[in-house]
Amino acid sequence: MNPTMRKCRTTARCATRLAAACVAWAGLTVDATAAARRPNVVVILADDLGYADVGFNGCKDIPTPHIDSLATHGVRCTSGYVSHPFCSPTRAGLMTGRYQQRFGHENNPAWLPEDTKVGLPVNQTTVADVMKSAGYITGAIGKWHLGAAPCFHPNERGFMEYFGFLGGGHMYLPGTKGGVEYTVSLLRNKEPLELKEYMTDVLTQEAVAFIGRHKAEPFYLYLAYNAVHTPLQAPEKYLSRFAGIADEKRRTYAAMTSAMDDGVGRVLAALRDHGLEHDTLIFFFSDNGGPITVVPCSNAPLRGGKGQVFEGGIREPFVVQWRGRLPEKAVYDEPVISLDVFPTAAALAGAKLPDGLKLDGVNIVPHLAGEVKTPPHERLFWRMGGGVSWAVREGRYKLLKLNKAASPQLFDLNNDIGETKDLIGEKPDVAARLQRAFDAWNAELIPPLFESPKPAPKKKPKQPVGEE
Ligand code: CA
């Protein structure tokens, strides 16, 4: 018996592998290794999690042993980015593998269940479309935030199974009062149901059940926690872990983070219990940086936070685990981005992309595995508000423009991760090169298709541009 067969834990999975191997032996155009593996892909997305609020990035007061275990058994990407500094555009990029400004998804959609224009444009191919076509079971659990109209429903965007809520957030505790978007019924596919337990626990239970249901099939699971986005809510069983934190908001934020960490632990345990740990690539990152002006979170040592193109808005706690395939306890410093999820998953599935679909991300597995020594990306770009604010990173340098009135600033991230020393006067040639690169990329984009909803007028700290 070959080693691959010995690793099989379930009869059904062995049968799948044997069938795949037979396809390869029959001389078809399927790569034998890829066909035999057909690994699962699990994307765990946190919401508004601070860069420094996980153990592997130095957090001291909130233990995150399960999230940290992904770094222990996988690759910690120190320059792991998202494609936007706030919620919905990042998700549009994650879902399409393309810079979301290419198709006008540059703002948060308002909660408009009747509006068929405010959401992820339906002409865009999603990673779920492609994985489903490749024979994967596709599931989305949690926050959607890519449009509330029926045409934008996850079931219409490639996800065979959905459980969650369609807006930009939700109350966590059953029975809590709030605005319509945050109190709507949960959905199992298109059937409404009531929230009966703590939201984070419910989403975890659904993910564990999904893995159990589909343990014998290759699957793509998108688990989008709304934790640790506001409102800050946690039940006593998590709050009691942090009695030593005096600040009430920080204590609740810690409890919410701890609940999510427990959830990650239960998902990892489910994969392990079903013998899938070596057959599953797992991404974990946050959709944007911590909202430091609203919540006592930390993006240290990064500057700024959610809603800004400083590193604090876009560089995330970012880990990738695939036991047996990727190195363990590894650190990868070249920039990677959430746009890489789609092409990585598609490559693992051996999926064929629709003709003419050009992705901005790349398959990062060969890079993380050390087989490809060149960086995955020559440059990465960000744009907010139709060009009011933007950034470009090329190697060690990052050129950014904070707002309409601001002048561009240049930083050397290798020496100055906190973006404290503007080098624009010292390195005009570098700045000019990055400006040209940004201008060329910007010329490929379209204006935003819709605007973010205006925040309700109430007494709270002034938000950076783009903040929800
Ligand atoms: Ca967010």
Side-chain angles (χ1 to χ4, degrees):
M1 186 182 283
N2 69 40
T4 302
M5 294 302 290
R6 271 202 300 275
K7 273 170 52 184
C8 289
R9 305 274 173 88
T10 68
T11 306
R13 199 156 183 91
C14 281
T16 305
R17 282 193 158 150
L18 189 57
C22 287
V23 169
W25 292 339
L28 302 180
T29 55
V30 180
D31 172 73
T33 309
R37 297 191 73 100
R38 295 274 281 180
N40 311 304
V41 178
V42 175
V43 180
I44 305 175
L45 189 66
D47 195 351
D48 289 14
L49 180 63
Y51 182 79
D53 289 325
V54 294
F56 68 76
N57 275 350
C59 186
K60 300 291 183 218
D61 61 344
I62 312 173
T64 55
H66 302 295
I67 296 170
D68 294 349
S69 80
L70 293 166
T72 305
H73 298 301
V75 184
R76 177 165 62 91
C77 299
T78 59
S79 292
Y81 289 99
V82 286
S83 61
H84 214 74
F86 59 89
C87 300
S88 182
T90 283
R91 289 155 203 269
L94 171 62
M95 210 56 75
T96 60
R98 306 178 67 214
Y99 284 115
Q100 60 278 355
Q101 302 91 341
R102 293 193 187 283
F103 48 88
H105 198 127
E106 197 165 339
N107 288 304
N108 283 331
W111 178 256
L112 295 169
E114 311 292 324
D115 192 322
T116 58
K117 302 288 183 207
V118 182
L120 178 64
V122 294
N123 62 356
Q124 296 300 309
T125 301
T126 72
V127 59
D129 290 329
V130 165
M131 298 302 277
K132 183 180 168 187
S133 295
Y136 273 54
I137 304 293
T138 52
I141 295 168
K143 167 168 163 175
W144 184 240
H145 210 197
L146 291 169
C151 62
F152 301 125
H153 189 284
N155 289 154
E156 307 298 325
R157 310 310 306 271
F159 287 102
M160 298 156 72
E161 297 185 16
Y162 177 63
F163 180 95
F165 49 91
L166 299 178
H170 203 281
M171 296 300 177
Y172 293 86
L173 295 169
T176 321
K177 300 235 179 320
V180 174
E181 182 175 4
Y182 277 51
T183 53
V184 289
S185 299
L186 302 184
L187 295 173
R188 181 180 302 288
N189 296 316
K190 297 178 181 177
E191 293 299 317
L193 73 166
E194 199 183 329
L195 177 66
K196 291 185 176 165
E197 295 173 62
Y198 186 51
M199 177 69 84
T200 302
D201 293 344
V202 171
L203 300 182
T204 297
Q205 286 158 21
E206 289 293 325
V208 168
F210 177 93
I211 292 165
R213 269 199 308 282
H214 300 297
K215 59 180 183 284
E217 306 152 292
F219 58 76
Y220 180 89
L221 173 60
Y222 171 54
L223 172 56
Y225 285 110
N226 54 321
V228 291
H229 193 292
T230 54
L232 296 182
Q233 292 183 331
E236 186 55 31
K237 69 170 174 172
Y238 295 118
L239 286 168
S240 63
R241 296 176 181 179
F242 299 98
I245 297 180
D247 181 283
E248 190 184 336
K249 280 188 169 181
R250 178 71 180 175
R251 184 165 72 245
T252 309
Y253 175 85
M256 295 168 75
T257 305
S258 192
M260 179 170 63
D261 185 69
D262 273 20
V264 171
R266 289 176 60 196
V267 168
L268 295 177
L271 292 169
R272 211 157 36 238
D273 292 347
H274 293 304
L276 301 176
E277 201 176 25
H278 287 74
D279 293 327
T280 305
L281 181 145
I282 304 163
F283 284 98
F284 176 90
F285 51 92
S286 177
D287 70 334
N288 51 253
I292 50 174
T293 59
V294 185
V295 173
C297 54
S298 174
N299 297 319
L302 310 180
R303 183 174 179 182
K306 177 177 179 177
Q308 295 181 305
V309 293
F310 282 130
E311 294 288 287
I314 53 179
R315 191 192 289 223
E316 306 305 321
F318 197 120
V319 281
V320 187
Q321 175 187 301
W322 184 4
R323 303 202 72 178
R325 177 67 179 90
L326 292 179
E328 306 213 357
K329 289 194 181 77
V331 175
Y332 189 75
D333 291 326
E334 296 291 351
V336 298
I337 189 165
S338 48
L339 305 175
D340 297 330
V341 168
F342 184 152
T344 299
L348 266 55
K352 184 180 182 314
L353 298 184
D355 291 342
L357 179 60
K358 188 176 173 301
L359 302 181
D360 289 306
V362 299
N363 171 17
I364 56 172
V365 166
H367 297 273
L368 301 186
E371 295 155 5
V372 174
K373 304 295 183 193
T374 51
H377 301 277
E378 189 180 1
R379 299 181 194 92
L380 292 175
F381 301 97
W382 296 264
R383 190 184 87 172
M384 266 203 314
V388 169
S389 180
W390 53 262
V392 48
R393 179 171 176 182
E394 178 190 281
R396 68 195 303 160
Y397 293 111
K398 179 179 167 192
L399 186 73
L400 67 84
K401 189 171 185 303
L402 261 197
N403 55 53
K404 202 169 181 179
S407 300
Q409 297 173 275
L410 180 71
F411 298 104
D412 175 352
L413 295 175
N414 283 12
N415 289 324
D416 180 22
I417 195 175
E419 297 171 291
T420 60
K421 189 174 186 315
D422 182 5
L423 302 174
I424 198 100
E426 289 178 35
K427 297 189 177 296
D429 294 350
V430 174
R433 187 175 75 239
L434 267 61
Q435 179 75 57
R436 282 194 301 274
F438 171 77
D439 291 343
W441 175 74
N442 191 42
E444 298 173 357
L445 311 180
I446 66 171
L449 288 180
F450 51 85
E451 295 300 316
S452 291
K454 297 278 177 278
K458 59 182 178 181
K459 207 171 71 177
K460 64 177 186 178
K462 193 168 180 289
Q463 295 303 299
V465 62
E467 179 83 16
E468 186 191 12

